[in-house]
């Protein structure tokens, strides 16, 4: 893991999604207006806004999980590529009916945190 914390402001996420409610058809999607802060800091890592439990699983990758005993789960990865000023975000949703499915988005690093 990184010896020092790294923090990135992310925006303009675009890509594709699929949902059970739409027969798992793949469609263009995005979160263009939302901004995220991705903090890579070992066990203190987090994504804001997001209340999921995150763990740094590589030098520039977070794995975030929200899993319940009733079988509902949301799992996300956030992989930062500073040399390209890009981020790859993958999300898997299960146990939430019509919302079951996934996303694959590419976002832009729009800045670093102070």
């Amino acid at each position: 893991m990184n010896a020092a914390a790294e923090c990135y402001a992310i925006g303009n996420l675009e890509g594709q999604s699929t949902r059970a409610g739409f027969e798992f058809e793949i469609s263009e999607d995005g979160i263009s207006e939302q901004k995220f802060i991705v903090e890579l800091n070992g066990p203190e890592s987090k994504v804001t806004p997001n209340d999921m439990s995150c763990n740094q699983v590589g030098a520039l990758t977070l794995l975030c999980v929200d899993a319940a005993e009733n079988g509902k789960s949301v799992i996300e990865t956030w992989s930062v590529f500073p040399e390209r000023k890009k981020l790859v975000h993958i999300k898997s949703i299960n146990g939430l009916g019509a919302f079951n499915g996934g996303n694959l988005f590419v976002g832009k690093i729009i800045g670093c945190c102070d």
Side-chain angles (χ1 to χ4, degrees):
M1 300 303 155
N2 287 349
E6 294 188 44
C7 185
Y8 300 93
I10 307 296
N12 305 314
L13 280 92
E14 296 179 345
Q16 298 185 329
S17 293
T18 183
R19 294 286 181 266
F22 294 101
E23 301 302 320
F24 290 105
E25 292 290 325
I26 295 174
S27 63
E28 296 295 317
D29 198 356
I31 314 171
S32 59
E33 299 299 319
Q34 180 72 49
K35 305 294 187 263
F36 296 90
I37 301 297
V38 176
E39 296 181 54
L40 297 135
N41 191 16
E44 303 298 318
S45 297
K46 64 182 176 177
V47 176
T48 306
N50 186 331
D51 60 355
M52 300 173 78
S53 173
C54 296
N55 189 25
Q56 187 172 355
V57 293
L60 295 168
T61 302
L62 296 184
L63 175 65
C64 302
V65 177
D66 183 10
E69 290 182 20
N70 62 6
K72 295 178 182 177
S73 65
V74 178
I75 300 171
E76 299 181 343
T77 61
W78 298 80
S79 296
V80 182
F81 301 92
E83 70 283 358
R84 302 284 185 136
K85 297 189 185 311
K86 299 286 184 180
L87 169 127
V88 173
H89 171 58
I90 302 169
K91 181 181 221 173
S92 177
I93 303 167
N94 205 336
L96 297 172
F99 294 103
N100 290 343
N103 302 347
L104 172 59
F105 293 150
V106 176
K108 295 179 183 175
I109 297 174
I110 56 177
C112 293
C113 310
D114 293 332

